[in-house]
Each structure stands twice: as structure tokens, then as C-alpha cells.
Amino acid sequence: RLSEPVTDFHYFSGLAFDFIDELLLEIDRVTKESPLRQMQTPGGYQMSVAMTNCGEVGWVSDKSGYRYSALDPLTGLAWPQMPPVFRQLASLAATKAGYPLFSPDACLINQYLPGAKMSLHQDKDENDFSAPIVSVSLGLSAVFKIGDMKRSDKLFSIPLHHGDVVVWGKSLRLAYHSISPIKSDNHPLLGQQRINLTFRKASF
Ligand code: MD3
Ligand code: FE
């Protein structure tokens, strides 16, 4: 289905630079309210990536499956609101990519310490596949790999560095993708970690 190589993504190198200080402050606030935690997979494993969310709904995983939830299962409370600077950056990127109406209702915050990875998967827990996904990379670099609709499709590697913002077009919504294990290193602002913000429209 995809023409190769993968083309329906819009890569804005360093677009987050002007927002970094404010983003880091807000990540601190969100993670104080709803802490980063390593969720369980339905298969009973603990994910290597630590996660939390902000927005109207958040992505959660436990023994009963993957889903979006309006409440943080750890606190029993609503997820923290999406900080205005998050929205501002996501809509700047989406607009540049040709999606001026993108209005995310969920932001997943992924924290990768050295060695953490995200195995090949599809994102299919959302109700709205017509919206793109916007991702913001902070801290240590990562190798993102993306294929097509089948797990066995050829993968293309895309490096993601601090400050990069990528808009993944809707034709990639169901493409398999992964993050290779993060190499141990030190980032001058974030130390030994990579943080990824993934903005999605999860509800109709
Ligand atoms: C392309 N996160 O949280 S973000 C995830 O860097 C996830 O933490 C990665 O995959 C990370 O599910 C990648 C970029 C991304 C997210 C979802 C996509 C790219 C995508 C779904 C379809 C195609
Ligand atoms: Fe994903």
C-alpha cells in the first residue's frame, strides 16, 4: 500500500527548540500529578518504556488489554490537562503538514531510559484514524522504524533527535513501527533519557 520509501510523514527538524524550556516545565508538572510508570502488557510483561498521559483521555495497558481511559488508573483521577504549549506546538506542526484542524485529545508521554525500546506494533486503539499523529522527541536520539500494514513488511529507519517534531500522515496510521533500544548516552538538557510526546485524536 505504501510507496517505498515511506513518504507520508513531515519531518520538522528542531521545530521544538523554541519551546523546550516550557515543554520541560510542563512535563514536570504533568508527571508530578500523574507519575511516569511502566505499564503491564496484556501478556503479563512489564514495558521497558515508562508512560503517562495528559489530555481528555490517556492510553493505558494492563492485563485486560490496551485502551483509552478518562481516568489515570494509578491516581483514580482525571489525567492532567494538556498544557497550552503542548497544544500550540502540536498544532503548529500539524498545520505546517497540511492538517490545520488537528485537535488532539490525548498526549502520551513516553520516557525511555538507556536500553528501553518499543517493539514492532500498530496504533489501533483510537476511534479516529483520519487524524494524523504528531510526535515530539526530546533528549537522547532514537532510531524509529516503520513498515506497512503487515508485520513482515520491509522497515525503513528514521532517526529522531532532540527537538524534532514529526507529523505522521493518516495514510501511515496503521503502519507497523518500533523504536530500537536507546543507546546509553548523556543529553546536556535531559540527561540519560529520551522523552517522546505523541499527540493523537483518540475519540470521535
Ligand atoms: C507512525 N511511540 O507511543 S512516536 C507509541 O517515539 C509510539 O515513543 C514512538 O510508537 C516513540 O505508540 C513513536 C511516533 C509515532 C507514533 C505512532 C505512529 C509514529 C507513528 C503510528 C503510525 C505510524
Ligand atoms: Fe506506536
Side-chain angles (χ1 to χ4, degrees), residues 108 110 112 121 123 144 168 172 177 179 194 196 200:
L108 176 64
N110 291 324
Y112 297 77
H121 69 281
D123 290 22
F144 178 86
W168 310 89
L172 296 175
H177 56 281
I179 293 282
R194 168 175 190 264
N196 180 263
R200 299 191 179 85

Side-chain angles (χ1 to χ4, degrees), residues 118-183:
M118 199 174 282
S119 304
L120 200 64
H121 69 281
Q122 290 172 298
D123 290 22
K124 51 181 184 188
D125 303 316
E126 298 75 23
N127 283 318
D128 186 349
F129 294 141
S130 69
I133 287 183
V134 174
S135 80
V136 178
S137 291
L138 301 169
L140 297 182
S141 297
V143 176
F144 178 86
K145 291 185 182 170
I146 185 161
D148 200 349
M149 301 292 286
K150 295 196 305 291
R151 190 170 274 284
S152 58
D153 285 320
K154 182 177 193 305
L155 299 176
F156 296 89
S157 287
I158 298 168
L160 296 175
H161 303 297
H162 177 69
D164 290 352
V165 183
V166 185
V167 180
W168 310 89
K170 62 187 175 202
S171 74
L172 296 175
R173 270 310 266 106
L174 293 170
Y176 274 93
H177 56 281
S178 67
I179 293 282
S180 304
I182 302 292
K183 286 203 188 103

Side-chain angles (χ1 to χ4, degrees), residues 79-90:
W79 297 101
Q81 288 194 359
M82 204 183 293
V85 64
F86 280 30
R87 274 186 195 289
Q88 199 191 335
L89 178 55

